[in-house]
Amino acid sequence: MPVVTKSPISDPPYSLHDAYILEIRATGDTLRLVTQYGYVCTTPPCDQVEGDVEITGVDWDFSCVYVLEYQGVLCGNYGSFTGKMTVEDFLREYPEAALDIMDETYGYHQVKLNGFLNLRESCLEFVLDLCYNGEFRYLLKD
């Protein structure tokens, strides 16, 4: 029997782990994540670099956000599921929210970012699930 082994996805040049997203901007089919202080280079010496992220060719029909709300337990534990919504609805419902990214997963024309959704009065958990056919761009600041 033939065996085909899938190679792992190449390592991204930067990690969004612990990136703090101050603003999310959707323009046309492009989503821009504005960071507070950038992200970390994945090659030694793994320095912090300033910059934002831009994802082009986002397919809004196949992209969504999951929001988890905790009732009676501390955030990060098991809790109730609040909802699945379009990115447009998410941006309308949480216009001033900040995202604290804990993990990132990449696939074929797909990225999932998850972490904490920081609101003024509470902290929720989120999963941002994006399908795109454009580019995933790291916009480095000088």
Side-chain angles (χ1 to χ4, degrees), residues 9-16 40-43 104-106 136 138:
I9 189 166
S10 63
D11 293 328
Y14 300 97
S15 173
L16 298 179
V40 176
C41 184
T42 58
T43 56
E104 57 196 314
T105 306
Y106 300 96
F136 192 100
Y138 299 95

Side-chain angles (χ1 to χ4, degrees), residues 38-78:
Y39 29 81
V40 176
C41 184
T42 58
T43 56
C46 302
D47 292 330
Q48 183 84 18
V49 296
E50 288 191 37
D52 297 334
V53 170
E54 190 173 75
I55 304 158
T56 67
V58 175
D59 187 335
W60 302 116
D61 291 333
F62 292 99
S63 298
C64 63
V65 182
Y66 299 88
V67 177
L68 297 131
E69 182 177 359
Y70 298 92
Q71 296 175 356
V73 296
L74 295 174
C75 186
N77 292 298
Y78 293 105

Side-chain angles (χ1 to χ4, degrees), residues 24-41:
I24 303 171
R25 297 181 196 150
T27 307
D29 68 353
T30 299
L31 191 70
R32 185 170 186 155
L33 307 175
V34 179
T35 70
Q36 182 179 34
Y37 48 80
Y39 29 81
V40 176
C41 184

